[in-house]
Amino acid sequence: MGKEPLASFGVISDVQYADIPDGRSFLGVPRYYRHSLLVLQRAVNKWNEERLKFVINFGDTVDGFCPKDQSLSVVNNIVDEYSRFNGPVYHMIGNHCLYNLPREKLLPLLNIRGRDSLAYYDFSPVPEYRFVVLDGYDISAIGWPKDHPNTLKAINFLKERNPNSDKNSPDGLLGLDRRFLMFNGAVGREQLEWLDRVLQDATKKEQKVVVCCHLPLDARASSNEALLWNYNEVMDVIHRYECVKVCLAGHDHKGGYSVDAYGVHHRILEAALECPPGTNAFGRVDLYRDRLLVSGTERLKSQEMVFGS
């Protein structure tokens, strides 16, 4: 490992701020809705102090329980907190963002400039690396207008796979089928084709690729209930190439880690929302030619991910 990284960047996931009393998840895990803002503020201060090159927010900026008359102002306020960082901030959308605002309002606030209200894009912070940000709610029952083709596809998809009247309930679903829930989503055909083209281009340029998605892409790192609906199709594209070294995600608040059969590292980031007062969950990632080093703060675990030859 070289002495100096090629670049260093900040990471945080699932802030899910709301100006409401603390609560619990459907599994009974405590959630600290107001404190998560303080976690973000401390993160930005630390990232500036360390002079990081950029920051990635892994989604769920605001919580679904946020009063809907406050959604717009809360998202604006959280984005303002990120804008205190002295460098670019790359956002992605999560289900809780889409409970609050439709895509056409949300994406401009997050500075995501995809065409047709799509939220996937790529960027290259240094010549040796390409970052690919996926839109895990491309095919989704939330965020699009009710009559949008992607909404209708998602509703039909869930009807075929989840017999429960509450499509957020996994009752009766077994194993990997427990991912067929309304709070998850899928990557659509056009996005898969775009991903393939980006990975072809990265291979030609001899770039290593980090794939970022709110929803996890590997069942060994994630709870079954948190996976992207068509994670297997996305990974089929990724596994065609040797350039993808790491997939980073949020959504599954407890965090997770695995290395798949192709040597791709999967790291799910622990949620800022679940930090009791005075604790933190954010991190710094150092990019080296042969590895990524995650240096976590308190509840966000540190991890060294060394690439295979």
Side-chain angles (χ1 to χ4, degrees):
M1 184 163 64
K3 287 182 183 175
E4 289 296 319
L6 298 167
S8 301
F9 65 97
V11 291
I12 194 167
S13 191
D14 298 271
V15 171
Q16 288 182 223
Y17 173 75
D19 186 14
I20 58 174
D22 296 340
R24 291 181 182 271
S25 72
F26 65 93
L27 295 173
V29 178
R31 293 183 162 183
Y32 304 95
Y33 296 108
R34 292 183 175 121
H35 177 255
S36 66
L37 175 61
L38 301 179
V39 177
L40 175 59
Q41 289 170 341
R42 291 193 288 263
V44 172
N45 291 341
K46 182 75 169 169
W47 296 330
N48 281 334
E49 191 182 297
E50 295 183 344
R51 299 186 176 182
L52 303 188
K53 190 173 180 74
F54 60 96
V55 162
I56 304 179
N57 162 28
F58 280 81
D60 279 359
T61 297
V62 60
D63 194 82
F65 284 131
C66 177
K68 297 303 167 281
D69 61 340
Q70 296 175 22
S71 294
L72 191 60
S73 62
V74 166
V75 173
N76 268 315
N77 290 343
I78 297 295
V79 170
D80 285 347
E81 292 295 338
Y82 279 105
S83 69
R84 293 193 304 108
F85 173 68
N86 298 324
V89 178
Y90 298 97
H91 296 277
M92 63 196 81
I93 57 173
N95 50 307
H96 282 267
C97 306
L98 297 171
Y99 297 149
N100 279 274
L101 292 172
R103 282 173 174 260
E104 70 269 16
K105 286 188 178 174
L106 180 67
L107 268 52
L109 295 177
L110 299 177
N111 201 29
I112 299 173
R113 303 185 184 282
R115 61 179 183 79
D116 299 328
S117 291
L118 291 164
Y120 56 87
Y121 59 95
D122 67 304
F123 64 97
S124 179
V126 289
E128 297 89 344
Y129 273 89
R130 179 89 63 99
F131 282 72
V132 174
V133 177
L134 297 179
D135 181 349
Y137 293 91
D138 180 355
I139 308 300
S140 171
I142 49 176
W144 296 105
K146 285 183 181 174
D147 58 351
H148 193 282
N150 291 3
T151 307
L152 301 176
K153 275 184 206 169
I155 289 169
N156 289 331
F157 181 95
L158 285 171
K159 270 183 191 167
E160 289 169 9
R161 290 165 178 82
N162 185 333
N164 297 305
S165 56
D166 174 6
K167 298 302 181 193
N168 277 326
S169 169
D171 286 355
L173 300 177
L174 300 176
L176 291 170
D177 284 356
R178 292 174 71 84
R179 73 187 188 276
F180 299 132
L181 304 172
M182 193 181 282
F183 58 66
N184 298 328
V187 164
R189 187 64 41 205
E190 276 187 30
Q191 188 178 172
L192 286 170
E193 291 167 359
W194 168 84
L195 174 62
D196 191 68
R197 291 193 300 272
V198 170
L199 298 185
Q200 277 184 45
D201 187 57
T203 300
K204 280 181 198 162
K205 291 176 177 169
E206 298 184 346
Q207 292 174 314
K208 294 177 176 69
V209 175
V210 179
V211 172
C212 304
C213 184
H214 180 66
L215 293 158
L217 301 174
D218 189 76
R220 282 150 297 197
S222 171
S223 306
N224 290 330
E225 294 85 354
L227 286 163
L228 186 82
W229 289 342
N230 64 335
Y231 75 91
N232 46 343
E233 288 185 304
V234 173
M235 292 312 301
D236 283 347
V237 174
I238 286 171
H239 288 152
R240 284 178 210 156
Y241 301 91
E242 293 181 1
C243 57
V244 178
K245 302 301 181 185
V246 177
C247 296
L248 299 175
H251 193 53
D252 194 3
H253 289 187
K254 70 184 186 316
Y257 174 70
S258 66
V259 183
D260 69 28
Y262 290 78
V264 177
H265 297 259
H266 296 261
R267 178 70 172 89
I268 303 167
L269 304 174
E270 291 82 4
L273 174 66
E274 293 182 1
C275 292
T279 65
N280 294 302
F282 59 86
R284 164 201 178 117
V285 182
D286 295 321
L287 292 175
Y288 295 93
R289 291 179 193 280
D290 66 340
R291 70 193 69 197
L292 254 66
L293 179 61
V294 179
S295 299
T297 304
E298 296 170 41
R299 292 174 66 86
L300 195 142
K301 297 183 181 86
S302 296
Q303 190 97 45
E304 185 176 48
M305 294 175 271
V306 180
F307 309 151
S309 55

